Amino acid sequence: LPRIGIGIDVHRLGPGRRCVVGGLEFECEVGPIGHSDGDALLHAACDAVLGAAGLDDLGTLFSDRDPRHAGRASHEFCHEVLELLRQRHLRVLSLDAVLETERPKLAARRPELRARLAELFALPVERVNVKGKTGEKVDAIGRGEAMRATVVALLGPA
């Protein structure tokens, strides 16, 4: 039977930080603040997949209290999450993502983001969607202080 999961991740943005979104680096005057590289999109995607599989969340499996994860590239988490799926005879069928942020602007790189997520989760690109939204000047996202990613994952038998 198919399984569905949702993942949500929020990171504050700070000046002088690398801006990594969906495993891609963006030119931007701010970047996410996090124990790892702070990639909210990949963190939410991993949580969506883990939730659909009935597994612990990303923060439990890869604790921010563990110094081994300091500065770690989030695409490495994706590889480990896929291995957990493989062990359970599951695979990702599709991902649908929304990234809310004032900056960086995503529109020009949406095809790249879709392709990168497809690659990381072993999917054809037509089974991945990434939408960018602004915060309309409301709350921390709208003021450019944070970014939030929400991802829905559909899993099926491998």
Side-chain angles (χ1 to χ4, degrees), residues 13 19 21 26-28 30 99 101-107 147:
L13 297 172
C19 187
V21 177
F26 283 75
E27 288 293 323
C28 193
V30 295
L99 185 70
T101 187
E102 294 296 320
R103 52 195 173 161
K105 295 299 182 193
L106 305 176
M147 67 172 52

Side-chain angles (χ1 to χ4, degrees), residues 102-142:
E102 294 296 320
R103 52 195 173 161
K105 295 299 182 193
L106 305 176
R109 296 190 67 192
R110 275 187 64 234
E112 255 184 291
L113 284 167
R114 289 181 70 199
R116 183 65 173 143
L117 280 174
E119 174 190 352
L120 289 170
F121 289 93
L123 287 167
V125 73
E126 63 270 9
R127 291 191 183 183
V128 176
N129 200 358
V130 177
K131 297 167 291 290
K133 302 289 182 183
T134 66
E136 297 295 331
K137 308 296 181 211
V138 177
D139 70 25
I141 292 164

Side-chain angles (χ1 to χ4, degrees), residues 7-13 18-24 31-48 58 72-75 77-78 97-101 103-104 106 113 117 121 141 146-151:
I8 299 172
D9 195 47
V10 177
H11 281 277
R12 287 178 293 123
L13 297 172
R18 283 181 60 229
C19 187
V20 180
V21 177
L24 302 177
I33 298 168
H35 185 68
S36 65
D37 62 8
D39 190 330
L41 185 55
L42 292 187
H43 295 175
C46 285
D47 265 344
L58 194 68
R72 190 169 177 197
S74 294
H75 67 84
F77 300 139
C78 299
V98 176
L99 185 70
E100 299 169 75
T101 187
R103 52 195 173 161
L106 305 176
L113 284 167
L117 280 174
F121 289 93
I141 292 164
M147 67 172 52
R148 176 175 37 236
T150 305
V151 179

